[in-house]
Amino acid sequence: LFLGESVTFTCNMTAGYDSNWSYVFHRNGQHIVSKSDVSKFLQLDLTTDLSGRYQCSAYHKDSPGFIKQSNNITLSVAVSNQANVALQHDWSQIYSGEAISMSCEIKGGGNSKWEYEWRTTTSKPPSRERTVHIRASVFSSGDFWCRGRADPFSSTEWSQTCHLRVSDKPRPTVRADKRLIPVGGNVTLTCSVDNPTEWKYYWFRHTGNISEVQTVDEGKSENVISISQGGVYYCQGGRGSPVFFTEESHRITIEKRVSNMASVSLRPDWPVIYSGETITVRCEISGGRNNEWVYEWSKPISDTLPTNEYRIVDASESSSGNYRCLGRNKQDLYSSTEWSDITTVTVSAAPTPVLTVSPSWLSPGASVTLSCEVEHPSAGWRFYWYKAVPDFREHSVQIRWSYSLINDSFNNNRNSAASLTVSPEGQKQTAGFTCRAGRGNPKYFTDYSEPKFVWSAVSHPAASLSVSPDREQHFTSESVTLNCGGNSTEWRVMTPSRIYAWSSLYSYSEKVNGFTTEMIAYRPSTAVYWCESESEGCSNAVNITIHDGDLILVSPVHPVNEGDPVTLGCELRTGNFTSTVGFYKNDKLIQNTVRGELSIPAASASDEGFYRCEHSGKASPQSWVAVKASSSSLPESLIIGLVVGFLLTVLLVIV
Ligand SMILES: *[C@@H]1O[C@H](CO)[C@@H](O)[C@H](O)[C@H]1NC(C)=O
């Protein structure tokens, strides 16, 4: 038997004898004194010194000399050979920081008092306990052996080698079947660590706006969970008692889609805006309340805002772009709507309106229409109309203008339209106009258009432009004098080509002498001229044609009064006419003459038109001959004639 086991010897008499016997046991012939001396049983807990030859004797109680001897039994008490190092858990890998126990197990060691000896390759030999507790670390890696010692002279063999390998704390990995929880759906997360069945799994989540981490699942042996909430997730494995945790896994962010829809709208609703304008971009979310969300914008804003409005103030090129937004739940920032559809905002350079005037000349009974045009006319523009007056004080290349608002175009909707009608009754004189457009709140204005003129042949009370020689057509290199006729040096001769290049009249040489301008033109042109003063306004306007050919028409510069005689002439640059001169009105030959003159005894409205003359295959330019209705409906001579006739009749009656 092995050391530490117990054994019972029984002393039996052969059948046939009565029961009046007492028993004594012997080892190696020595009497064993036992408590139950007379009992037929001897029980022993085995120690090595109990090996030997056992025998029992039976004495008859009535005749003590009567003894019977038993057979011999040899008992040898053996010490076990087999010590073994056992780990508390059959884990395939031990990790740094884990608490483990190692026991020295002796087969058949029973309850006897063993003393344990340990041997190790590590630097720290365990204490002489049967079970040793170790806090695993890299230093615990090594080989271990143990043996048991029963007394100074007997011990087991050394156990087989127990290899203890400690590695660094593991870090699980998390995988998700998808990163986005669809509306009404869920996502499966898997936590992976080596030897998965040895662990329990712990799940954690945080939501970003609350720093606190929530425990989602604790100590499940399944390493998979299904989630329906967005957030940042991570897991840990745990085992043993007290629980040893792995490192935390890396974080995985799971977004959640809500069914609400985001959309971007503009206020005001202008897809094209201009540099400097102010516009509000709004993110609208269907369903739910406004204060439930934080709003995220993609480029060009790239920002998260607590309110749904983004104001583009003083827009510039960089404000152009495709605006998109989404809403995130304030309570759970990982729950969001889809990105809205794109709303494109284009920021353009401020437009300059273009003003057109039709017709350009005022004539009785016909009104003039001015139109102000801006790109994207539908986009909320209102138009403002101004009279443009040149500012001659600054002698810059370009004329500066001062603008005076035409009454009420600010307050009156009718006058803020894109066109303005000028009636000849309301506007008698030549005048410059300009327009600009405005919209929004605060009001944003475009630049002023280039000024445009409505010309009138009617003279200004203070100034009247006269031309010398007094005809509409002139030869190049001939001197033409334009006289403003007023009594102030403030008057300037104006012509459209001068408006934007005041000082350089490269095609002219001119002498400005007070209010008289003498010019010699070297290039052919047809232009309108008038005089203008900052304070007095404009004189009448005249057409002047400069011709580089040999033949010109001699026609009046000013409109002729109805009923007055008019003579049109034809003039050669040099020499005399050698054949007939033809006069044409509106491209139709009306007269052939040798004298080179066409006489109209009394001008009427029907004489108005374009005239030219032709001589030996050469033609003059054509000029407009205007006929002006006289101020009263009856011709003056007729009134005088009637009055004189009446007086003569009275006189005759008296006589
Ligand atoms: C000047 O010429 C234009 C056409 O070219 C004509 O309509 C206008 O009446 C002319 N003005 C005068 C004062 O003749």
Side-chain angles (χ1 to χ4, degrees), residues 361-362 456-457 472 526 528 541-543 556-559 610 624-626:
W361 287 83
L362 282 168
S456 168
E472 214 190 289
T526 296
V528 55
V542 299
N543 289 322
V557 172
H558 304 294
F610 284 104
W624 178 260
V625 172

